[in-house]
Amino acid sequence: MGKQPSGKKPIIIFTKYEPYLVADFEKFVDHQNRDLKVEPVMALCRCGSSKHKPHCDGSHVRSGFVGDKSPDRMKDRAVEYRGTEITIVDNRGVCSHDKSCIRSLPSVFDDKKRRWIDPRGAGADEIIETIKKCPSGALSYKINGIRYQDLDRDPVIRVKKDGPLEVEGHIELKDDMGSKPESGEHYTLCRCGVSKNKPFCDGSHHTIEFRDPE
Ligand code: SF4
Ligand code: FES
């Protein structure tokens, strides 16, 4: 498991009425992996209205933000696509729709097709490399019946431009709804305030054209 230089274990903790409170973490970067300033405890916006994104400015209080899940969200359900060498496992409920899988390996991942994953469309190594880049944990794979869904990276939170927080490296998530990421190693957290599957991003930031300040 990845570690921080200090040896401290980072945590993201919040209730459904509050921003993400992030404590004891050391690597905070922008979408180009440039370092951002880190404080011992930081409050990061998740209602989408802060004027100081990615930090909270108290806007959630004024807007009465409540981070509930929506009853009509996409089901949180892992579906298997069996191939000869590898089985791809997909949970549409937590996909952040960054389309990196589709761009990397369109012979396997093609969202224009009804059955959007074809595990026979490329070799297992190429598929694994693509799945490792899935930021949300929606994609994982099985070989010989064993599921692989975690990586071994150092803790980092990346602010995706106009999109979610990409969390890597087994950063503990604790909220008052008992939310569990699909992969404990990496997951994406909604920053626009509109996801139906809060706290996780469900790609709704594209629909509302969520934008960070230039
Ligand atoms: S989050 Fe994962 S499954 Fe969703 S589009 Fe990106 S790479 Fe594909
Ligand atoms: S940031 Fe993706 S749904 Fe809110």
Side-chain angles (χ1 to χ4, degrees), residues 24-43:
D24 288 340
F25 94 115
E26 287 159 21
K27 189 81 179 159
F28 188 37
V29 298
D30 71 6
H31 63 289
Q32 294 180 318
N33 287 320
R34 292 177 299 207
D35 284 326
L36 298 171
K37 190 174 175 209
V38 179
E39 305 282 357
V41 177
M42 300 199 301

Side-chain angles (χ1 to χ4, degrees), residues 163-164 190-192 195 201-205:
C190 174
R191 225 161 47 86
C192 72
S195 172
C201 168
D202 70 352
S204 296
H205 56 276

